Amino acid sequence: AVVSTQSTGDVFVTTGSGKMKESNVSTTVHKRSDEMYSLKMKASRAFFSDVCNRFTMMPFTLRAFEDEKKAKMGLKECVTHELLHPYPVQQDSDGKPVAQFKYTVLVVPNGNIRINGGLFDPSLFKSEHKIEDKEVLALLAQSANRKAGGKKKKKKAKSAAEEAKSEAAAEN
């Protein structure tokens, strides 16, 4: 049996001081919890049933619903009774905008495996800052996948063996 641990990570990026706080902007992204409660309002029951059928345990936005006003009506009772958890909008203490990345990692004996969170492509973003420390650049260039290093070694060994065969064939 393989023993593993699940861990989540939140990465916040800002141009401000780096001290995060919740903004007073209302959030539209929520996630279902494991709590059970019998909702009183018909609109709340219909909304929560729709959430359970369409989104299971994944986060969702209110824009995904046809009638956003009805969704907001049903949302209030669901949040009050902790059936749904809001993802609050974050801002820097200086009022600067914040970008947030979330991901989940499985920690297993032969290495860490990121199981969700999308891929980050730095070529899509421009920055006025650059990493100049050679040690940091070398670390960033390494693969986080433990299997990638083994494949390179095998490829090098295979190509060396093929090269030796071709040299031996050329000599004959």
Side-chain angles (χ1 to χ4, degrees), residues 152-165:
K152 287 180 184 176
K153 288 178 186 175
K154 286 180 184 177
K155 283 183 182 178
K156 284 182 183 178
K158 203 177 211 182
S159 63
E162 287 176 5
E163 191 175 304
K165 282 182 184 178

Side-chain angles (χ1 to χ4, degrees), residues 60-168:
F60 63 91
T61 179
L62 292 177
R63 291 186 307 254
F65 295 91
E66 286 182 30
D67 190 352
E68 224 174 301
K69 284 187 179 184
K70 280 186 181 178
K72 284 181 182 178
M73 277 179 36
L75 177 70
K76 179 148 177 52
E77 187 178 7
C78 292
V79 171
T80 301
H81 297 290
E82 298 181 356
L83 295 175
L84 299 174
H85 295 293
Y87 279 81
V89 177
Q90 299 287 324
Q91 75 176 31
D92 194 87
S93 60
D94 299 340
K96 301 279 183 165
V98 174
Q100 180 179 8
F101 302 93
K102 287 185 167 280
Y103 56 91
T104 304
V105 175
L106 287 180
V107 180
V108 292
N110 61 346
N112 301 334
I113 304 168
R114 188 170 78 183
I115 59 172
N116 71 352
L119 298 175
F120 175 71
D121 184 2
S123 66
L124 299 175
F125 304 93
K126 293 181 182 176
S127 174
E128 60 191 46
H129 304 285
K130 235 180 189 174
I131 299 172
E132 296 176 3
D133 186 343
K134 291 181 181 179
E135 287 181 40
V136 174
L137 287 170
L139 280 172
L140 291 172
Q142 293 178 359
S143 174
N145 186 352
R146 290 181 179 243
K147 293 181 181 178
K151 287 181 182 176
K152 287 180 184 176
K153 288 178 186 175
K154 286 180 184 177
K155 283 183 182 178
K156 284 182 183 178
K158 203 177 211 182
S159 63
E162 287 176 5
E163 191 175 304
K165 282 182 184 178
S166 63
E167 286 177 11

